[in-house]
Amino acid sequence: MVNSLDLNNTAYYNNREVSWLGFNYRVIQEAFDKRNPLLERLRFLAIASSNLDEFFMVRVAGLKDQVKMNFNEPENKTGMTPTEQLIEIDKGNRDNVLKQYDQYHQLLRELEGHQFYFKSMDELSPENYMNIEKKFNYEILPTLTPLGIDAYRPFPKLSNKSLNIFVDVVTPLGEQKSAIVQIPALLNRIITLQNENKTIFVLLEDVITHFINRLFVGYEIKRTFTFRITRNADLTIHEDGAEDLLIEIEKFLKKRKSGAAVRLEIDTRFDETINGSFLQQELELEERDVYKINGPLDLTMLFQLTGIVQNKLPQLAFKPFEPCTPKSLGKSNIYEAALKKDLFFHHPYESFTPIVDFIKEASMDPNTLAIKQTLYRVSSDSPIIEALKNAAEAGKQVTVLVELKARFDEENNVHWAKMLEEAGCHVIYGMTHLKTHSKITLVVKKIGEEIVPYVHLGTGNYNDKTAKIYTDMGIITTNREIGHDAMNFFNYLSGYSEKPTYNKLHVAPFEIRDEFIEHIDQEIECHKQNGNGLIIAKMNSLTDKTVIKKLFEASQAGVKVNLIIRGICCLKPGIPGVSENIRVISIVGRFLEHSRIYYFYHNGEEKMYLSSADMMTRNMIKRVEILFPILDESIVQELKDFLQLQLSDNQKAREQDQYGVYHYVRNDAEPVNSQEELVRRANAVERSYTKPVEVKHVPQMSKRSRLLGFVKDKLIKK
């Protein structure tokens, strides 16, 4: 039976782009879930809009480029051509956007029940109208520039994602002209007014539209409407032959602002007859690229709205949650504790502060010889950057790999790279044609006569802001083999050498996928002999066809495969004879699921890994990623308990059926919201990490210690 089925059958796979649209719909669903507080439901609508912008700028833009270049090859899983994918995206996304805006209007009606109202200019009281008019004259009008369109003034190059007002005017001689007024991005989109016990909101574009005649004195305004353009942001970075990648990135950032248009959105709240044909023609867009929307464009403005309302009515948002001190750390100093055992961290339930302190303390300790770290995305005011600068200025050897090609963080990372170099850090930018997505820090200390490497490995970025809303995991270890691997890893990235042979780590490109295939094959063999095969994998996305086919083989052999995949999943589960032993769930809730966990039962000889990589071709073939083993049995057990908790979720989990459609998990078991349960558990532990950062000189270690292999200035592998 197994050999008679063609695992290349396109019916067994989901298209990547269509699967992503399904994920964004699950985000929109959270806005419908009345168990979420009102402001959080509005935030989910904003998140969906932010997600969709990036999807158009990268994924849709890439498909449109293929069509323009007459590349019409079908993709290798579902066999859809670029044109067919664009048609399916159009169909699925229009349905998503319609649901999103229907719910937006519903949630605004609910907000009115709390005395918060959106108003048009015509609905304002005389007093509020006068206040808005004054604000327009003195604060808004000076920032506006009308851009006429004629033979002497060609169609302007409008910024990506900017809001604009299109204006049709009639001259005193009766001639019709058109112009565009760009809405200043630095002004607050939402203007707030107080009217007794009511809070009134007016949108900036509505104010400008109302007073637009003051920009065209002597002309008659015939028609106005607000529109927004999304541009291609997935341009090519020319790495080959580049003398300095930082300079190439800066050139790339300038080009990105003027990429080809890929989407036109038109606000039809005040005129449903608008077709935008002139704009469509000027921007060289097809009809399917134009979205007419009954509502304000760019719902990311709801982030501003919810912040305003939450300041007045915090009960309309999630109850504030303060991460607890990591259980593995307790009240111990992080460096002392790491000498005794591996330390495990689970953010945001456990505080990210110890990871920041791990770098801070190393930067201040005179026993620290070197700090080496990879940075992919960091916050705009990162305390980790400050600690690295301080370490370099104190004379320590500091090597930082700053990934300049981290999409949409390029400008931020260029800034940090320059700042770190100025402080004396040795900054490297990664490898040609590969993004370094690994999350690793190596701190080398001299303790007595021994050299001790401390290694932090994680699934998420060194970003203290996103660590509060992304679920990620990591360890700090002084295992000498992992320490040796970390040294080799950084030396390989910073110098010239063949790819090293690692003791414990598995490093992409290629090696991680090979490791997955080997473990799946081993699980199949174990199941044939013992009948207890089990694989559990948690990740953001699953797209790699080689891995998917191997999981199909495992299912056909009888291995139980449980997949927890937040976003894209190109595998269809539950197909008789192909994937009936595979279950796929997606959890979308208060926090963004971001950790990657891979577990293989192996007849009781369990293997547990964490990784920076998803089972995506780009991660395993086109990036530098790390898959690292969990060697401490207590941490393995904690991870197993966590995986079982998520697999038991029947509140925020959706399960994919054999047709690729997701349905809420509903059963007779006790209600389980895995994220809220983890919040509850965290609240039961000590609630804050208040211990100040202080330099503690770790006492000289015994010759019997587990780090006996680190002697003097050289790591000796037993």
Side-chain angles (χ1 to χ4, degrees):
M1 178 66 177
V2 172
N3 295 328
S4 66
L5 290 171
D6 178 11
L7 295 183
N8 291 309
N9 188 329
T10 58
Y12 303 159
Y13 299 89
N14 296 308
N15 174 262
R16 172 189 168 133
E17 319 306 347
V18 175
S19 181
W20 184 90
L21 287 174
F23 158 67
N24 211 37
Y25 175 62
R26 295 194 288 281
V27 175
I28 294 170
Q29 276 186 314
E30 288 299 302
F32 285 81
D33 191 338
K34 294 184 178 180
R35 294 170 296 183
N36 292 325
L38 176 57
L39 295 184
E40 306 301 341
R41 295 165 71 189
L42 285 162
R43 282 195 182 102
F44 279 113
L45 294 180
I47 292 167
S49 285
S50 178
N51 290 346
L52 190 61
D53 283 347
E54 185 171 332
F55 179 71
F56 267 90
M57 288 188 288
V58 178
R59 302 304 304 179
V60 174
L63 290 170
K64 289 176 72 66
D65 281 347
Q66 291 179 41
V67 172
K68 286 178 183 177
M69 293 184 290
N70 294 317
F71 180 86
N72 212 34
E73 291 294 315
E75 51 97 3
N76 73 342
K77 289 183 280 290
T78 61
M80 295 172 64
T81 66
T83 299
E84 289 170 338
Q85 292 180 71
L86 288 170
I87 291 170
E88 286 301 308
I89 289 170
D90 178 54
K91 190 186 305 180
N93 190 50
R94 287 190 185 279
D95 188 50
N96 278 4
V97 171
L98 185 62
K99 290 184 172 69
Q100 182 185 18
Y101 273 88
D102 283 348
Q103 189 60 7
Y104 164 78
H105 292 298
Q106 171 59 34
L107 293 180
L108 288 198
R109 287 191 287 271
E110 293 186 28
L111 200 59
E112 289 178 356
H114 299 278
Q115 304 303 306
F116 294 93
Y117 300 84
F118 269 92
K119 298 288 187 181
S120 68
M121 289 295 296
D122 294 334
E123 296 175 310
L124 296 179
S125 67
E127 182 183 357
N128 283 336
Y129 184 94
M130 288 175 59
N131 288 334
I132 289 286
E133 184 175 25
K134 182 178 178 181
K135 185 178 184 68
F136 176 82
N137 288 332
Y138 292 100
E139 298 178 30
I140 301 173
L141 182 59
T143 69
L144 303 178
T145 304
L147 302 171
I149 304 170
D150 55 32
Y152 298 96
R153 290 165 286 200
F155 191 86
K157 201 69 177 179
L158 301 170
S159 301
N160 182 34
K161 299 193 296 181
S162 66
L163 284 173
N164 307 276
I165 299 173
F166 191 88
V167 187
D168 280 331
V169 300
V170 177
T171 71
L173 298 177
E175 190 179 3
Q176 185 160 316
K177 298 282 187 179
S178 295
I180 290 173
V181 178
Q182 192 160 2
I183 297 173
L186 296 180
L187 296 181
N188 284 331
R189 177 90 182 273
I190 298 173
I191 299 171
T192 306
L193 300 164
Q194 206 61 42
N195 190 354
E196 296 179 350
N197 64 333
K198 296 179 181 179
T199 302
I200 308 297
F201 300 122
V202 184
L203 290 172
L204 177 61
E205 62 264 34
D206 293 350
V207 173
I208 296 172
T209 298
H210 185 78
F211 294 112
I212 201 80
N213 61 311
R214 301 188 186 185
L215 290 168
F216 301 92
V217 178
Y219 286 67
E220 179 189 355
I221 307 297
K222 294 293 290 184
R223 182 182 66 163
T224 63
F225 62 87
T226 304
F227 70 97
R228 181 173 183 259
I229 300 170
T230 312
R231 296 189 177 277
N232 184 342
D234 196 33
L235 306 178
T236 302
I237 298 171
H238 300 289
E239 299 179 59
D240 293 325
E243 293 183 8
D244 189 331
L245 184 62
L246 190 145
I247 294 173
E248 289 300 319
I249 294 290
E250 290 179 319
K251 291 179 183 176
F252 160 81
L253 291 171
K254 292 177 182 177
K255 291 179 182 177
R256 174 187 276 172
K257 294 177 182 178
S258 58
V262 294
R263 178 181 58 166
L264 169 64
E265 298 169 281
I266 297 173
D267 181 346
T268 62
R269 280 180 297 158
F270 307 113
D271 186 352
E272 295 180 358
T273 67
I274 295 166
N275 59 34
S277 57
F278 173 76
L279 289 172
Q280 181 183 329
Q281 182 179 350
E282 285 289 331
L283 298 168
E284 299 180 339
L285 293 171
E286 298 183 44
E287 194 169 331
R288 67 166 170 255
D289 303 320
V290 180
Y291 284 77
K292 299 173 188 175
I293 294 172
N294 179 28
L297 308 180
D298 187 10
L299 290 186
T300 60
M301 60 96 171
L302 293 176
F303 288 127
Q304 182 192 349
L305 172 70
T306 54
I308 295 169
V309 177
Q310 188 170 347
N311 285 335
K312 298 187 176 186
L313 292 178
Q315 65 270 28
L316 296 182
F318 283 131
K319 186 178 179 181
F321 165 66
E322 195 68 34
C324 68
T325 301
K327 295 188 291 293
S328 62
L329 185 59
K331 296 293 183 180
S332 303
N333 171 273
I334 198 165
Y335 284 96
E336 291 176 338
L339 289 176
K340 301 172 186 175
K341 63 176 183 178
D342 289 351
L343 307 178
F344 175 67
F345 305 89
H346 190 183
H347 317 296
Y349 311 105
E350 295 180 324
S351 175
F352 191 72
T353 302
I355 309 305
V356 175
D357 288 349
F358 178 65
I359 312 298
K360 279 185 178 179
E361 182 169 334
S363 73
M364 294 187 288
D365 188 350
N367 289 329
T368 300
L369 303 179
I371 303 173
K372 303 183 181 187
Q373 187 171 31
T374 59
L375 295 177
Y376 192 76
R377 302 187 197 277
V378 293
S379 61
S380 57
D381 54 349
S382 172
I384 287 177
I385 296 286
E386 282 301 310
L388 293 171
K389 286 168 53 185
N390 293 338
E393 289 165 354
K396 305 181 192 308
Q397 291 293 316
V398 180
T399 302
V400 187
L401 188 149
V402 180
E403 182 47 77
L404 297 181
K405 294 173 286 184
R407 185 177 285 134
F408 302 121
D409 271 81
E410 299 97 340
E411 190 169 3
N412 194 43
N413 287 2
V414 165
H415 168 73
W416 289 131
K418 289 179 177 179
M419 187 171 287
L420 288 167
E421 284 178 335
E422 289 170 2
C425 300
H426 178 57
V427 180
I428 53 180
Y429 305 144
M431 304 183 74
T432 306
H433 301 304
L434 298 173
K435 287 185 181 179
T436 302
H437 192 246
S438 312
K439 325 297 183 186
I440 180 172
T441 301
L442 169 65
V443 173
V444 181
K445 290 196 177 191
K446 186 173 184 180
I447 303 176
E449 294 301 312
E450 298 180 27
I451 302 299
V452 184
Y454 296 78
V455 182
H456 175 267
L457 291 156
T459 67
N461 298 308
Y462 290 106
N463 189 315
D464 54 301
K465 299 293 190 296
T466 58
K468 296 175 182 178
I469 54 175
Y470 288 21
T471 72
D472 273 305
M473 297 176 173
I475 62 168
I476 290 178
T477 182
T478 50
N479 177 281
R480 65 172 177 265
E481 290 185 299
I482 292 179
H484 187 266
D485 286 349
M487 291 179 185
N488 282 336
F489 176 81
F490 280 105
N491 290 341
Y492 173 60
L493 291 179
S494 63
Y496 296 107
S497 68
E498 293 183 355
K499 187 176 178 180
T501 300
Y502 296 101
N503 299 299
K504 296 293 185 183
L505 303 183
H506 303 281
V507 180
F510 298 110
E511 195 177 315
I512 290 178
R513 183 163 72 178
D514 292 345
E515 188 69 13
F516 285 148
I517 297 300
E518 185 177 323
H519 276 301
I520 297 170
D521 278 335
Q522 188 175 340
E523 198 63 40
I524 291 171
E525 290 304 310
C526 285
H527 184 79
K528 288 177 180 177
Q529 296 174 26
N530 305 286
N532 56 9
L534 176 63
I535 297 170
I536 306 176
K538 180 185 186 300
M539 68 201 85
N540 298 331
S541 298
L542 170 61
T543 67
D544 188 76
K545 189 174 182 180
T546 302
V547 171
I548 291 174
K549 288 172 70 174
K550 188 58 65 173
L551 290 171
F552 283 159
E553 290 178 26
S555 174
Q556 290 175 318
V559 176
K560 296 295 182 186
V561 181
N562 288 315
L563 302 175
I564 307 166
I565 302 173
R566 182 197 78 213
I568 302 164
C569 179
C570 293
L571 175 154
K572 286 184 180 178
I575 301 173
V578 178
S579 57
E580 71 268 35
N581 289 308
I582 301 177
R583 182 186 184 220
V584 176
I585 66 168
S586 170
I587 295 175
V588 178
R590 175 176 182 173
F591 304 116
L592 181 78
E593 293 290 339
H594 195 251
S595 51
R596 290 93 166 186
I597 311 170
Y598 303 101
Y599 170 81
F600 306 91
Y601 181 61
H602 290 350
N603 193 37
E605 295 183 10
E606 301 166 299
K607 298 293 181 182
M608 181 75 80
Y609 298 91
L610 297 180
S611 183
S612 58
D614 293 315
M615 286 179 168
M616 300 181 76
T617 305
R618 75 176 188 194
N619 290 83
M620 298 184 289
I621 304 302
K622 299 179 181 179
R623 290 186 175 184
V624 179
E625 305 266 17
I626 295 177
L627 175 75
F628 55 97
I630 302 302
L631 305 175
D632 186 297
E633 288 303 316
S634 65
I635 300 176
V636 170
Q637 187 58 52
E638 187 169 349
L639 287 168
K640 286 165 60 179
D641 291 344
F642 166 74
L643 290 171
Q644 288 304 319
L645 174 65
Q646 290 226 306
L647 290 168
S648 301
D649 194 310
N650 55 13
Q651 301 298 299
K652 293 298 181 181
R654 287 85 156 171
E655 186 166 357
Q656 186 190 161
D657 65 24
Q658 68 184 81
Y659 306 105
V661 180
Y662 284 80
H663 309 273
Y664 275 104
V665 174
R666 292 289 182 259
N667 52 42
D668 295 330
E670 285 292 315
V672 176
N673 180 328
S674 57
Q675 292 188 354
E676 290 305 318
E677 172 60 17
L678 290 167
V679 168
R680 187 194 66 77
R681 293 179 187 181
N683 285 336
V685 180
E686 180 189 0
R687 289 190 51 82
S688 62
Y689 189 83
T690 56
K691 182 169 164 292
V693 177
E694 56 180 312
V695 177
K696 286 198 175 183
H697 294 193
V698 181
Q700 185 171 355
M701 298 185 307
S702 164
K703 297 296 181 183
R704 296 179 182 178
S705 76
R706 61 192 284 227
L707 298 167
L708 184 61
F710 297 106
V711 179
K712 302 197 175 185
D713 295 330
K714 187 175 180 181
L715 176 66
I716 301 175
K717 182 183 175 187
K718 285 188 177 181

